[in-house]
Amino acid sequence: MVKVEPLLAYGARIVGDDARTRIVIDFDRAPDFSIHYIANPERVVIDLPVTAFGFPAGDLSARGLFKDIRYGKMDEDSARIVLTAKKPVKMEVAKVQADEGGKGHRLILDAAMTDKDRFAELVKAQSWNDPSSQQTTSAIPAPERPANGDFIIAVDAGHGGIDTGAIGVDTKTQEKDVTLAFAKALADRLNRESGIKAFLTRKDDSFLSLSERVEIARQNNAGLFISMHADTLKQKDIRGATVYTISDRASDKLAADLADRENLSDQIAGKETVAEPPEVADILLDLTRRETQAFSISLAESVLASFKDQVGTINNPHRHAGFRVLQAPDVPSILLELGFLSNREDEKLLLDEAWRARMADLLTEAVKHYRTAMVANGG
């Protein structure tokens, strides 16, 4: 099969105010595109074939009708632009036209304010078979049949694709790149241990929904799920690692705020999150608590024990909150904040290859200790 070259989006500009806003994006050739509307919050989604976004991020900074603009890869075949609106909007113009200078084509999007009823009609009237609302099967590693006795570990690089995550205070490094580098280092280190088989939920800069990450772990018979993150905080002086486990009640405001931000990942990528009915959500959480929470806590304690006198941690480094990515009912799971990209000293460490390797060693020791304890207890 001939691989299609990605479109190149080489220029962008946005003008307008809170009544009407125009976005123009320059491509090397005419792009196929589709537009959809999503409510709660109001968003406009522009789906594209696989695209390399080559313009400076500042050229498409949110303004006018839009309070947030994200763009990036969704999977191997597609990309997406997500415009989060300040108020209900509609696209009055959405067209592609040739560049007058013969340099390619431009996508022109004219958004105008509308009312809530009209926006609701736009959402209801559209008929779209959104491939991104289905499992991104191209990004899901095929389940491997584990060897007898193999201990399977899912290493999850947080964020990815259109969801960049946090941004470094000095280097402007994106969290999705930090987490992928750490995930690869940890999986490689774990795979050097006899009887341990680690795999990555994502191997490249692709977007995965929170539910897809959980399902990847389950389909691959994972006995552990470790999700890697490097967030930012308003308090720039806070630094150090933190280990989170799931709970229906957050341990503190910092944990609650972090879970709220992480749980918005699907919305950032322009995916409709279908909320479970409260009684179903309670049952799911109860299953998680009953079957795996004790094991998750044991893993968290093993990680923090391995970090002692080796890695700086925040105060009360084991915290808990309602992270959707930790909700597998049958896979003990932790979310590891490696450090904070909002702190200059943490940022330096997060980008240091030697420190990354040391962290991978310590986490591997923690996993081995956890596994030994589980075997000893008949797990």
Side-chain angles (χ1 to χ4, degrees), residues 17-279:
D17 54 28
D18 58 1
R20 181 177 291 272
T21 303
R22 167 170 281 199
I23 294 172
V24 179
I25 302 176
D26 299 312
F27 290 88
D28 61 340
R29 59 190 190 274
D32 292 325
F33 72 95
S34 60
I35 290 180
H36 310 293
Y37 299 89
I38 301 178
N40 301 317
E42 288 111 351
R43 285 158 288 162
V44 182
V45 172
I46 300 97
D47 279 322
L48 296 161
V50 60
T51 300
F53 293 93
F55 51 80
D59 290 359
L60 201 53
S61 295
R63 62 171 296 168
L65 283 164
F66 302 108
K67 61 184 178 182
D68 186 65
I69 298 177
R70 306 276 179 136
Y71 51 87
K73 180 179 179 181
M74 291 297 286
D75 55 34
E76 292 302 317
D77 302 311
S78 65
R80 174 171 283 187
I81 302 169
V82 180
L83 311 171
T84 303
K86 297 176 181 175
K87 61 181 76 172
V89 297
K90 61 179 178 179
M91 283 295 173
E92 294 201 328
V93 175
K95 64 180 181 180
V96 173
Q97 68 180 40
D99 179 82
E100 295 86 348
K103 293 182 179 179
H105 288 71
R106 61 173 61 110
L107 173 62
I108 300 171
L109 304 168
D110 279 351
M113 61 183 288
T114 188
D115 58 45
K116 285 187 175 292
D117 290 342
R118 175 58 182 148
F119 187 85
E121 289 173 10
L122 291 170
V123 173
K124 187 176 180 181
Q126 65 191 353
S127 60
W128 62 322
N129 180 21
D130 179 6
S132 69
S133 68
Q134 304 161 11
Q135 274 200 344
T136 313
T137 51
S138 61
I140 296 180
E144 295 184 27
R145 190 176 296 277
N148 287 338
D150 266 0
F151 189 50
I152 312 298
I153 302 168
V155 183
D156 176 55
H159 307 280
I162 192 171
D163 177 17
T164 59
I167 306 293
V169 64
D170 276 341
T171 66
K172 307 306 177 188
T173 301
Q174 297 178 339
E175 182 182 1
K176 66 177 182 178
D177 298 326
V178 172
T179 60
L180 184 59
F182 264 95
K184 287 179 175 178
L186 177 58
D188 288 346
R189 178 64 186 84
L190 286 167
N191 282 325
R192 297 208 298 268
E193 296 293 326
S194 176
I196 290 178
K197 176 70 175 175
F199 68 92
L200 300 171
T201 57
R202 69 175 177 95
K203 298 179 180 179
D204 57 18
D205 184 25
S206 294
F207 173 80
L208 286 174
S209 71
L210 298 172
S211 60
E212 284 172 342
R213 295 170 189 273
V214 174
E215 188 59 25
I216 288 168
R218 299 183 73 194
Q219 287 184 6
N220 284 270
N221 307 300
L224 286 181
F225 177 89
I226 302 174
S227 190
M228 318 283 277
H229 293 261
D231 216 275
T232 59
L233 295 174
K234 291 180 180 177
Q235 306 96 317
K236 309 297 183 190
D237 58 324
I238 296 180
R239 59 173 304 203
T242 323
V243 183
Y244 291 92
T245 51
I246 194 169
S247 173
D248 53 351
R249 289 189 178 181
S251 55
D252 53 88
K253 188 174 188 306
L254 188 149
D257 291 347
L258 178 65
D260 287 345
R261 289 198 301 274
E262 295 297 344
N263 290 345
L264 285 174
S265 177
D266 291 357
Q267 287 190 6
I268 285 169
K271 293 179 71 70
E272 266 189 300
T273 302
V274 180
E276 298 282 6
E279 63 275 14

Side-chain angles (χ1 to χ4, degrees), residues 186 190 224-228 241-245 295-313 317-318 333-338 358-371:
L186 177 58
L190 286 167
L224 286 181
F225 177 89
I226 302 174
S227 190
M228 318 283 277
T242 323
V243 183
Y244 291 92
T245 51
F295 296 112
S296 300
I297 290 170
S298 178
L299 174 60
E301 290 171 348
S302 291
V303 169
L304 290 173
S306 75
F307 283 179
K308 189 174 182 181
D309 301 324
Q310 303 287 327
V311 174
T313 58
H318 178 199
S333 305
I334 62 170
L335 186 148
L336 174 60
E337 281 285 349
L338 298 155
R358 179 64 182 145
M359 286 285 281
D361 285 340
L362 294 172
L363 288 167
T364 299
E365 289 305 309
V367 167
K368 289 166 62 180
H369 181 270
Y370 168 88
R371 184 189 185 197

